[in-house]
Amino acid sequence: REDLVFVGSGHLQELLKEYSLESNTQAMLFFAIPKLGAKPIDGFSPTNPEGLTCATGKWAEDLAVRLKGGDLKCTLLPPDHFR
């Protein structure tokens, strides 16, 4: 169970808490793939030029490395800043 990684829009907290999974790795992904075979387009804004995708938990760094392989950014956050 500790190796599960949850990806969502940030509305998973109650569900994760219900099943005692709130300390698992979690990520919010912000990128788009405009068409089949196209490169992903990273999500960012003028106030967040470092990108909007973020992750926390045991496997967050590994996830960030994988995303970087696709030219996508991922900010690593401590759990209290992720929620």
Side-chain angles (χ1 to χ4, degrees):
R1 287 174 51 111
E2 71 182 35
D3 291 328
L4 292 172
V5 176
F6 293 93
V7 178
S9 61
H11 301 291
L12 296 172
Q13 294 308 315
E14 290 302 315
L15 178 70
L16 296 177
K17 186 175 181 178
E18 181 180 337
Y19 292 98
S20 299
L21 297 169
E22 62 265 25
S23 63
N24 281 64
T25 301
Q26 299 175 51
M28 289 194 298
L29 303 179
F30 291 91
F31 63 87
I33 302 173
K35 65 180 181 176
L36 185 63
K39 288 187 70 167
I41 300 169
D42 217 343
F44 63 92
S45 71
T47 55
N48 297 95
E50 71 280 4
L52 297 168
T53 294
C54 58
T56 189
K58 176 180 177 179
W59 298 110
E61 191 171 341
D62 292 274
L63 177 63
V65 168
R66 292 181 195 279
L67 290 171
K68 186 176 181 180
D71 292 325
L72 298 169
K73 299 174 185 171
C74 181
T75 302
L76 302 178
L77 297 174
D80 58 326
H81 284 92
F82 185 81
R83 293 171 178 83

